[in-house]
């Protein structure tokens, strides 16, 4: 697939949409002529990218663009454009929370107060877990 010419503005939009934290800017606070973003990943890595100021419609050359995607953003080009255009964040390998996951506090109460095993709690739906806690609080059993 063919993509538009990547610009500093696209680069900045990607960082903002994925939730990167701005750590430096070009307003003289660090003496640089770049805006610097960081993204802390669950695996412990910290990605860092720099955008020349101002983040305008200046385009990147093919070699520098490949470097930015591979070494700074750690994404494929299609993931980059999907995020910029549609707001879909790249898959960074973080496990998704199941829709019916029990809150940690409920699990803790069922195990420590009610006396259920981890296996019993894991087999419960959200409604079953809440009903079991309510029974414990009203009947004491």
């Amino acid at each position: 697939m063919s993509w538009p010419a990547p610009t500093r503005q696209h680069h900045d939009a990607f960082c903002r949409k994925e939730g990167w934290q701005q750590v430096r800017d070009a307003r003289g606070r660090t003496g640089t002529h770049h805006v610097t973003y960081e993204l802390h990943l669950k695996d412990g890595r910290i990605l860092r990218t720099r955008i020349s100021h101002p983040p305008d419609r200046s385009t990147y050359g093919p070699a520098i663009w490949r470097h930015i995607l591979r070494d700074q953003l750690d994404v494929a080009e299609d993931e980059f454009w999907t995020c910029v255009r549609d707001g879909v964040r790249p898959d960074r390998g973080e496990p998704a929370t199941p829709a019916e996951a029990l809150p940690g506090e409920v699990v803790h109460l069922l195990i420590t107060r009610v006396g259920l095993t981890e296996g019993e709690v894991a087999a419960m739906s959200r409604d079953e877990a809440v009903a079991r806690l309510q029974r414990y609080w009203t009947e004491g059993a």
Side-chain angles (χ1 to χ4, degrees):
M1 177 170 222
S2 120
W3 306 105
T7 66
R8 295 177 190 170
Q9 192 173 37
H10 292 129
H11 190 171
D12 189 67
F14 173 85
C15 292
R16 291 177 188 276
K17 288 182 180 183
E18 192 181 11
W20 291 57
Q21 298 297 313
Q22 184 175 330
V23 293
R24 295 185 183 153
D25 64 19
R27 299 245 175 217
R29 293 185 198 152
T30 63
T32 66
H33 299 287
H34 296 85
V35 177
T36 304
Y37 288 100
E38 284 186 351
L39 181 67
H40 296 255
L41 300 176
K42 297 281 185 194
D43 65 6
R45 292 182 299 146
I46 299 173
L47 300 179
R48 180 174 269 219
T49 190
R50 296 174 64 196
I51 305 169
S52 294
H53 193 74
D56 58 13
R57 294 182 184 208
S58 302
T59 60
Y60 292 114
I64 190 72
W65 183 237
R66 282 191 303 276
H67 162 70
I68 290 168
L69 288 173
R70 181 187 64 238
D71 301 328
Q72 294 181 17
L73 303 179
D74 192 26
V75 294
E77 193 160 16
D78 60 332
E79 292 174 307
F80 174 87
W81 289 111
T82 301
C83 181
V84 170
R85 290 181 172 171
D86 306 326
V88 177
R89 293 178 174 194
D91 179 11
R92 299 281 183 185
E94 297 174 11
T97 303
E100 284 294 314
L102 297 178
E105 207 168 321
V106 170
V107 172
H108 176 74
L109 289 171
L110 287 170
I111 293 171
T112 60
R113 297 279 177 107
V114 179
L116 300 179
T117 66
E118 287 183 26
E120 291 171 320
V121 174
M124 292 180 151
S125 71
R126 181 180 292 246
D127 292 338
E128 290 170 335
V130 170
R132 183 63 180 95
L133 276 176
Q134 288 174 337
R135 192 171 88 211
Y136 171 77
W137 287 323
T138 57
E139 300 172 11

